[in-house]
Amino acid sequence: MVTAYLGLGSNLGDRQATLRAARERLGALAGARLVAASPVYETPPWGDADQPRYLNQVVALELGPDWSPGRLLATLWEIEAALGRVRTDRRYGPRTLDLDILLYGDRRIDEPDLTVPHPRLRERAFVLVPLADIAPHAVIPDGQGGTVAEALSKIPFKISGNSLETGD
């Protein structure tokens, strides 16, 4: 078994319902088990401010031996499409659903369509805060060393209720 930590984000449509549907689909995958889910945070958009605010969450998914990182990525893309995601050339644009593999056990992966740990993980409070809620002691295997909690301590953020204001 390997534990994958996935980032979920939505800023179009019924964001709460979309995240709930994504969690349900992830939890129903054969040979996988949803073992943890962070609280949901409302966050400002990252990279392109001209769009609605996001809801962000991180989940932990235990995967059996039939799961590879590539199979997981393909499945995430299928879930995104089934829940209304249309991929465009606009990077950091609005979307009904965004699913990212943040960590895949202790593996480092560098393939054309997949980089794990997520390449901007250490820069993004909207990912690190919910990840720290469920896995503060997880080591980020990117060669820099340290845990999720240690990475989070190095970036600015402020939480008020379910709203997360970031310095990123």
Side-chain angles (χ1 to χ4, degrees):
M1 298 289 279
V2 65
T3 301
Y5 293 95
L6 311 176
L8 288 67
S10 175
N11 76 334
L12 295 178
D14 187 339
R15 303 171 301 163
Q16 280 283 8
T18 300
L19 292 183
R20 184 173 34 258
R23 287 190 309 272
E24 289 170 359
R25 287 174 185 252
L26 290 166
L29 295 173
R33 188 168 66 103
L34 189 66
V35 294
S38 75
V40 174
Y41 294 94
E42 185 171 52
T43 65
W46 193 92
D48 184 348
D50 186 24
Q51 58 182 307
R53 291 174 63 86
Y54 275 82
L55 290 185
N56 289 105
Q57 179 176 43
V58 171
V59 300
L61 192 64
E62 279 187 355
L63 301 165
D66 292 339
W67 284 91
S68 67
R71 178 180 176 202
L72 178 59
L73 180 62
T75 300
L76 297 182
W77 286 352
E78 289 170 7
I79 292 170
E80 286 178 346
L83 295 177
R85 167 106 186 240
V86 176
R87 290 188 175 272
T88 68
D89 290 337
R90 183 176 173 191
R91 190 168 185 169
Y92 309 125
R95 54 202 65 178
T96 55
L97 181 62
D98 187 31
L99 299 174
D100 290 317
I101 302 172
L102 306 174
L103 299 173
Y104 191 92
D106 61 358
R107 291 189 54 188
R108 289 177 77 170
I109 302 164
D110 189 8
E111 298 175 359
D113 288 331
L114 181 60
T115 303
V116 176
H118 191 282
R120 287 165 297 286
L121 176 67
R122 290 181 182 272
E123 303 167 15
R124 297 179 172 176
F126 71 87
V127 174
L128 283 173
V129 167
L131 181 56
D133 285 334
I134 61 174
H137 303 294
V139 173
I140 303 172
D142 61 358
Q144 296 182 46
T147 66
V148 169
E150 291 167 341
L152 180 59
S153 73
K154 296 176 181 170
I155 61 173
F157 68 93
K158 181 176 133 186
I159 298 173
S160 177
N162 76 330
S163 183
L164 172 62
E165 300 304 323
T166 65
D168 50 25

